[in-house]
């Protein structure tokens, strides 16, 4: 069973408790930007204010969403039915399905009274040490110096062939197999959208620490922990109105959200969250 299938089955179990909020709106950035995650994510808002984020820069996803934003008919839609499209569809509907699934996860967290711990560590608690071989899946430019200045060796796996080669203190490659001897890995959560999570984890077989980070890492982590992910770091939206307003005009999102970190040690588990939500 894939991660997506397991994730959806958990949301189906949540839905069995009773009615879920429907979709209020889809919020899109005005275009692509080159800084601060601006223009990289859409936000799907539910009627209870829960926000789910999803990456929109795979291929021409953002352009398709912007071109058809008024025709999707998402306002008032069944959020679970939309989340099912994360499993059954591709392209923009997979993206929107993932956003809906993440919004329902936030709804579950809210009903269960669960708030993940804040994280002040932008590199997923890797704590790189001199001589260690660190892997990075997706190039996180703001994090490079923190790793290379530690004396660790850094290998980055990217999809863009134009980035390949030896750089100042790190190496970029298209070959995921080059991560096989990395002791620690930090990865983009985009793996959950392009269905490469199982393959990439298999390539990181020597890693004792695998951190998946990014604003759209707002999913239920149980199936990821079971597969070897040790930390999930995402964005917790504190102010829905402020966040969506900033997103739509391309402004900074940082004052409307905080970073969180989930590990097996500070996560109560889906069954306990479900029991709490049922009691609520």
């Amino acid at each position: 069973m894939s991660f997506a299938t397991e994730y959806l089955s958990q949301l189906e179990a949540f839905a069995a408790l009773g009615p879920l909020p429907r979709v209020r709106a889809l919020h899109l950035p005005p275009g692509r930007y080159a800084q601060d995650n601006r223009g990289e994510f859409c936000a799907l808002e539910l009627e209870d204010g829960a926000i789910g984020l999803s990456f929109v820069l795979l291929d021409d996803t953002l352009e398709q969403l912007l071109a058809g934003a008024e025709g999707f008919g998402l306002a008032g839609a069944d959020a679970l039915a939309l989340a099912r499209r994360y499993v059954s569809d591709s392209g923009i509907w997979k993206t929107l399905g993932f956003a809906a699934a993440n919004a329902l996860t936030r709804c579950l967290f809210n009903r269960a009274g669960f708030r993940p711990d804040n994280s002040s560590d932008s590199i997923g608690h890797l704590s790189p040490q001199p001589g260690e071989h660190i892997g990075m899946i997706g190039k996180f430019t703001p994090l490079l110096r923190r790793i290379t200045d530690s004396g660790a060796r850094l290998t980055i796996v990217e999809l863009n062939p134009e980035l390949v080669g030896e750089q100042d203190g790190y190496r970029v490659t298209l070959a995921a197999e080059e991560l096989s001897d990395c002791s620690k890995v930090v990865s983009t959560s985009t793996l959950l959208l392009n269905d490469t999570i199982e393959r990439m984890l298999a390539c990181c077989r020597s890693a004792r620490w695998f951190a998946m980070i990014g604003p759209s890492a707002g999913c239920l982590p149980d199936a990821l922990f079971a597969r070897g992910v040790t930390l999930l770091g995402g964005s917790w939206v504190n102010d829905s109105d402020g966040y969506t307003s900033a997103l739509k005009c391309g402004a900074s999102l940082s004052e409307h959200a905080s970073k969180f970190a989930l590990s097996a040690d500070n996560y109560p588990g889906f069954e306990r969250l479900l029991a709490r939500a049922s009691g609520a």
Side-chain angles (χ1 to χ4, degrees), residues 35 39 103 145 163 239 276:
Q35 59 179 347
R145 289 293 301 272
L163 300 176
D239 173 8
R276 290 182 188 174

Side-chain angles (χ1 to χ4, degrees), residues 5-279:
T5 303
E6 287 190 51
Y7 184 18
L8 183 63
S9 69
Q10 291 178 308
L11 297 177
E12 298 276 5
F14 176 38
L17 296 181
L20 296 177
R22 301 182 79 83
V23 175
R24 175 178 291 163
L26 170 66
H27 305 283
L28 298 172
R32 294 180 181 240
Y33 293 80
Q35 59 179 347
D36 300 336
N37 295 325
R38 302 182 199 185
E40 295 186 5
F41 301 90
C42 69
L44 192 88
E45 183 180 7
L46 303 185
E47 290 174 341
D48 66 347
I51 296 284
L53 307 178
S54 190
F55 187 70
V56 294
L57 296 190
L58 286 176
D59 302 319
D60 62 345
T61 296
L62 178 58
E63 288 73 20
Q64 288 190 59
L65 288 172
L66 289 171
E70 298 304 320
F72 292 128
L74 292 180
D78 183 327
L80 182 63
L82 182 57
R84 291 187 182 117
R85 303 192 73 165
Y86 170 52
V87 177
S88 63
D89 282 78
S90 59
I92 62 173
W93 286 107
K94 187 178 186 70
T95 298
L96 294 173
F98 188 52
N102 288 347
L104 289 172
T105 293
R106 175 61 186 264
C107 175
L108 170 60
F109 284 178
N110 289 345
R111 290 188 182 183
F114 175 65
R115 168 67 161 88
D117 293 341
N118 282 343
S119 175
S120 58
D121 183 6
S122 60
I123 60 172
H125 298 222
L126 285 183
S127 184
Q129 302 298 315
E132 278 189 318
H133 188 189
I134 304 295
M136 181 179 285
I137 303 173
K139 187 179 179 182
F140 294 89
T141 301
L143 311 185
L144 298 178
R145 289 293 301 272
R146 290 231 4 229
I147 297 174
T148 57
D149 286 354
S150 73
R153 179 163 60 101
L154 176 62
T155 298
I156 302 173
V157 173
E158 256 289 348
L159 295 176
N160 186 353
E162 296 180 3
L163 300 176
V164 169
E166 298 291 339
Q167 306 294 331
D168 184 17
Y170 60 92
R171 168 178 168 75
V172 181
T173 178
L174 302 178
E177 294 75 15
E178 293 194 29
L179 301 176
S180 61
D181 66 340
C182 291
S183 58
K184 300 172 184 174
V185 177
V186 59
S187 168
T188 170
S189 53
T190 307
L191 302 187
L192 304 178
L193 266 181
N194 61 15
D195 294 326
T196 58
I197 178 62
E198 276 85 3
R199 172 176 169 263
M200 297 305 290
L201 282 168
C203 290
C204 301
R205 53 188 174 272
S206 298
R208 64 180 187 275
W209 189 261
F210 190 105
M212 178 175 285
I213 63 175
S216 61
C219 56
L220 290 168
D222 306 74
L224 294 175
F225 292 160
R227 284 165 169 76
V229 173
T230 48
L231 181 139
L232 187 70
S235 290
W236 184 269
V237 176
N238 300 309
D239 173 8
S240 297
D241 291 340
Y243 189 93
T244 54
S245 295
L247 183 146
K248 289 186 291 184
C249 69
S252 174
L253 304 171
S254 59
E255 65 182 274
H256 308 293
S258 52
K259 294 178 181 178
F260 70 80
L262 277 176
S263 66
D265 292 336
N266 67 357
Y267 174 63
F270 173 69
E271 294 300 332
R272 187 172 295 179
L273 291 176
L274 199 63
R276 290 182 188 174
S278 176

